[in-house]
Amino acid sequence: DIVMTQSPDSLAVSLGERATINCKSSQSVLHSSNNKNYLTWYQQKPGQPPKLLIYWASTRESGVPDRFSGSGSGTDFTLTISSLQAEDVAVYYCQQHFSSPITFGQGTRLEIK
Amino acid sequence: QVQLQQWGAGLLKPSETLSLTCAVHGGSFSGFLWSWIRQSPGKGLEWIGRITHSESTDYNPSLKSRVTISVDTSKNQFSLKLSSVSAADTAVYYCARGREGRNIFGIWGQGTMVTVSS
């Protein structure tokens, strides 16, 4: 199984400041056939299912604010929120779908400082 | 607007079989991957398995011996059965649709809390 490790486990950022969450996979999730990274980011708020934010490592889902961006390739990825808003308080997960079984990171809890 | 509506028993005794169903409203069933994912209280997300409209399945090896995912295309529904449950199977269970023929989960069901207790 590909192990996904996120850092930090929790993060407190001031409103309007940048938040950065990292995700590392135990093996590359870059597929040579299409040069795509099989890496997805989700946001989960209490009592709700996860919401798709970013797929193919850097493609923003329709309707997701442009303050959310994804970057990275191979085994190291980053989710960045450029200017934190109150509604961004949530747990964020990365996920790989390069190989089965699909696996998720342990989550990063983002709070307001 | 595609929506997933899921239902099933929320309280089970150890050794019973968990059974959940997810109905797809407002969209096609074919061409997508349909998954079950669970989340234990206060913990992260665990992928259980997925099925296609042609009944091709893929299961998480950690659960494979106890899991069956099936599909009823005439009703636009797919189902999860997990046998011989224990307290470790207590979790919120979600159904989800994978987009672009991949396991990119863009649409989720509302979640069903399943508790296993004697």
Side-chain angles (χ1 to χ4, degrees):
Chain A
D1 299 7
I2 297 178
V3 177
M4 308 299 290
T5 304
Q6 293 181 227
S7 61
D9 288 334
S10 63
L11 179 64
V13 175
S14 300
L15 289 172
E17 296 299 306
R18 178 185 300 264
T20 301
I21 298 169
N22 301 299
C23 174
K24 187 174 184 67
S25 56
S26 61
Q27 62 189 75
S28 176
V29 298
L30 174 62
H31 210 294
S32 58
S33 67
N34 57 11
N35 203 38
K36 288 186 174 183
N37 288 284
Y38 283 47
L39 189 286
T40 308
W41 289 98
Y42 300 90
Q43 174 194 66
Q44 186 178 32
K45 297 181 178 181
Q48 298 181 18
K51 173 188 174 183
L52 174 63
L53 293 177
I54 304 283
Y55 58 100
W56 300 131
S58 60
T59 301
R60 193 181 306 114
E61 172 71 336
S62 175
V64 173
D66 61 6
R67 64 180 180 273
F68 290 90
S69 63
S71 62
S73 185
T75 62
D76 292 280
F77 301 90
T78 300
L79 174 70
T80 301
I81 307 171
S82 60
S83 177
L84 188 71
Q85 304 300 303
E87 60 266 32
D88 301 335
V89 170
V91 180
Y92 292 83
Y93 294 94
C94 61
Q95 172 232 333
Q96 67 80 22
H97 58 107
F98 180 87
S99 66
S100 182
I102 308 308
T103 50
F104 294 84
Q106 80 277 16
T108 294
R109 185 174 302 276
L110 178 58
E111 300 173 334
I112 305 294
K113 184 187 291 183
Chain B
Q1 181 79 356
V2 178
Q3 291 186 329
L4 304 184
Q5 180 185 15
Q6 56 181 104
W7 66 89
L11 180 61
L12 297 172
K13 290 181 167 48
S15 81
E16 292 185 332
T17 295
L18 178 157
S19 182
L20 299 174
T21 299
C22 183
V24 180
H25 298 291
S28 172
F29 201 80
S30 63
F32 297 95
L33 304 179
W34 304 94
S35 281
W36 289 97
I37 296 161
R38 71 181 183 179
Q39 186 169 33
S40 303
K43 294 187 179 178
L45 298 157
E46 181 179 28
W47 178 76
I48 299 169
R50 65 92 176 136
I51 194 166
T52 68
H53 75 284
S54 57
E55 303 187 69
S56 169
T57 56
D58 183 21
Y59 298 135
N60 192 323
S62 67
L63 297 166
K64 187 173 184 177
S65 63
R66 298 192 291 129
V67 172
T68 301
I69 298 176
S70 59
V71 65
D72 184 340
T73 53
S74 67
K75 294 182 178 179
N76 270 18
Q77 295 176 358
F78 63 108
S79 298
L80 168 69
K81 290 190 185 300
L82 180 65
S83 63
S84 304
V85 298
S86 69
D89 296 309
T90 294
V92 176
Y93 287 75
Y94 295 101
C95 57
R97 189 185 82 170
R99 62 181 298 162
E100 298 186 14
R102 308 289 184 179
N103 290 300
I104 300 170
F105 305 118
I107 298 176
W108 295 67
Q110 78 275 21
T112 301
M113 179 67 210
V114 176
T115 302
V116 181
S117 175
S118 56

